[in-house]
Amino acid sequence: MSLNDEERRIIVNLELEKATNTMAQISELQKLGYWDNIANRLYYAVFHAVNALLINDGHPVNTHRGVIAMFGNYYIRTGIFASEDGRLYSDLQTMRNNSDYNCSYDATQQEIEPMIEPARLLISKVSNYIREND
């Protein structure tokens, strides 16, 4: 599907809004101690931000694995974003998969809490990049 500039801008803004709203859910989930849910929300917040980035730059988005691969190819390997950003995104996907699909796995506060601020920072970096390169 080909998007015109206005359609692209709308979708990018919706994806960034989704990332921000998803991150906002985390503080309430922390109060409840729902670490599996936080793992899920962290992953999806970053997923929506990276989707916004890829769509903004005209890269087709098809699958979760594809989004991670394209983020690595277009933004990590080129030095636009740090390798730690790519590693964080990959770790979040692994954590989300484990917490959503592995019935013998329970995410813990010690595993998840250190990922919250880096995820928030990555979303901010993506938003800033889009704003600066629009």
Side-chain angles (χ1 to χ4, degrees):
M1 173 171 81
S2 180
L3 302 172
N4 66 40
D5 289 343
E6 181 61 21
E7 292 167 333
R8 185 181 332 280
R9 240 185 319 279
I10 289 168
I11 293 172
V12 166
N13 287 332
L14 288 171
E15 288 284 358
L16 289 174
E17 185 178 316
K18 187 76 165 181
T20 301
N21 291 341
T22 302
M23 280 301 296
Q25 298 168 10
I26 289 172
S27 61
E28 291 303 313
L29 292 169
Q30 280 180 288
K31 292 175 191 173
L32 298 168
Y34 292 163
W35 300 104
D36 283 333
N37 295 93
I38 294 169
N40 177 285
R41 300 291 72 205
L42 283 173
Y43 168 75
Y44 276 105
V46 172
F47 171 79
H48 286 292
V50 173
N51 260 345
L53 176 65
L54 292 166
I55 292 166
N56 187 70
D57 290 350
H59 302 297
V61 178
N62 294 316
T63 66
H64 287 265
R65 281 188 182 160
V67 171
I68 287 178
M70 291 194 314
F71 183 59
N73 287 334
Y74 293 118
Y75 302 97
I76 303 300
R77 286 193 180 123
T78 60
I80 295 171
F81 287 88
S83 60
E84 294 80 27
D85 296 327
R87 203 169 11 263
L88 172 67
Y89 187 20
S90 180
D91 289 348
L92 288 172
Q93 184 187 40
T94 300
M95 191 73 64
R96 196 266 317 183
N97 284 339
N98 286 337
S99 63
D100 282 358
Y101 301 115
N102 184 344
C103 65
S104 65
Y105 174 82
D106 286 314
T108 66
Q109 181 176 358
Q110 293 75 25
E111 291 172 297
I112 301 298
E113 212 162 50
M115 297 177 143
I116 295 172
E117 190 56 27
R120 191 179 322 279
L121 290 173
L122 178 54
I123 292 166
S124 178
K125 286 178 5 182
V126 166
S127 295
N128 290 338
Y129 176 87
I130 290 170
R131 203 174 10 257
E132 292 167 5
N133 294 283
D134 192 22

